[in-house]
Amino acid sequence: MDWLITLAQANFFKDLSPESRKALAEIAISRDVKKRELLFAEGDKGHSIYLLNSGTVQLFKTAPDGNEIVIKLIQPGEVFAEVVLVEQDRYPVSAVALTDCVLFLFPRRDLHRLLEREDFRNDFIAMLMRKQRYLAERIYDLSTRDVEERLFRFLREHYGTRTDIRLTLSKKDIAAAIGTTPETLSRLIQKLSEKGVLSWQGKEIELIGDKAKDE
């Protein structure tokens, strides 16, 4: 595995100088995780930040009533848990692998040394601002878009503009990602199938008609 190429392709690290990426590669630890493995739980001591190389990771919070609220689905090339570097020393959310994954861990103590460098620190602040904008958009989506809109936006963001989709996530995971229940998602799928908008059979989705053109 070429660590420097992987780091150069990650949004968080791609604008760093080659010297900075080399320094990151020297402290990175590779880890393979299995589907449904818990990476860390909300409140755990924050020992590392993560870069996802392959697979999908779900970040979620547990509400007082026990329900899980999905914050974000992490895709390859994304960094997560970076908040433990500067804001707090415990993870504010939980993280679970939705598929088999390959991750890179960057120990907190080693990254603190890198953050003493102005160029690295500036890039990190820019990353935090991008995350802030994402969370604002996420709140807007959940409060203003209906479930159908959120579903098609999710499919477009995670599987591109294709009309034939092979799902890598379960219906339960997709429902959580768009802020609804599995039961509501199932009813929506049935309605869209009856309207001839899509065909959803097991892990296979086909977008039909105008919706396919929109995608």
Side-chain angles (χ1 to χ4, degrees):
M1 182 181 300
D2 192 323
W3 294 75
L4 293 178
I5 291 177
T6 300
L7 292 175
Q9 293 173 341
N11 286 335
F12 180 34
F13 300 129
K14 67 180 181 181
D15 293 328
L16 290 176
S17 67
E19 292 77 15
S20 293
R21 288 199 294 270
K22 182 179 179 181
L24 281 169
E26 291 173 352
I27 69 171
I29 301 169
S30 180
R31 178 180 170 191
D32 296 336
V33 299
K34 297 296 184 182
K35 182 178 179 179
R36 295 299 170 188
E37 182 175 340
L38 187 69
L39 305 180
F40 52 80
E42 184 177 349
D44 283 352
K45 188 76 170 179
H47 56 80
S48 303
I49 73 168
Y50 294 76
L51 167 62
L52 182 61
N53 188 49
S54 65
T56 304
V57 169
Q58 181 188 82
L59 304 184
F60 65 93
K61 291 183 72 71
T62 302
D65 60 5
N67 289 326
E68 293 180 356
I69 303 171
V70 175
I71 304 300
K72 183 174 174 57
L73 292 189
I74 304 297
Q75 299 299 313
E78 291 190 77
V79 170
F80 60 101
E82 71 280 0
V83 68
V84 301
L85 286 178
V86 295
E87 185 176 343
Q88 55 192 24
D89 62 356
R90 295 191 179 275
Y91 294 117
V93 298
S94 300
V96 63
L98 295 185
T99 64
D100 291 346
C101 298
V102 177
L103 299 148
F104 297 150
L105 282 69
F106 301 91
R108 183 171 181 257
R109 62 182 181 276
D110 296 328
L111 278 166
H112 273 160
R113 295 201 312 270
L114 293 178
L115 284 169
E116 294 175 359
R117 295 169 45 169
E118 183 178 3
D119 56 343
F120 189 94
R121 186 169 61 250
N122 289 342
D123 289 333
F124 179 76
I125 292 172
M127 169 67 174
L128 291 182
M129 295 302 294
R130 288 194 293 272
K131 282 290 185 72
Q132 189 71 20
R133 287 195 294 272
Y134 171 84
L135 291 174
E137 291 172 359
R138 170 72 173 163
I139 293 171
Y140 176 82
D141 279 349
L142 292 176
S143 61
T144 63
R145 298 181 189 273
D146 63 24
V147 177
E148 181 176 336
E149 287 181 291
R150 299 202 299 267
L151 171 62
F152 284 109
R153 180 170 180 174
F154 170 86
L155 294 175
R156 183 171 60 252
E157 289 179 348
H158 289 268
Y159 299 102
T161 57
R162 66 191 66 179
T163 56
D164 294 307
I165 298 170
R166 172 69 179 177
L167 294 175
T168 56
L169 303 175
S170 69
K171 284 185 181 179
K172 179 180 178 181
D173 292 330
I174 293 173
I178 64 174
T180 192
T181 64
E183 294 78 15
T184 298
L185 177 59
S186 293
R187 288 194 294 271
L188 174 61
I189 292 169
Q190 181 177 355
K191 183 184 77 170
L192 294 175
S193 297
E194 292 172 350
K195 290 170 61 177
V197 174
L198 59 71
S199 171
W200 190 318
Q201 301 294 329
K203 291 286 187 179
E204 304 290 340
I205 298 178
E206 180 184 2
L207 301 179
I208 304 168
D210 291 339
K211 185 53 67 175
K213 296 176 184 177
D214 292 342
E215 295 301 298

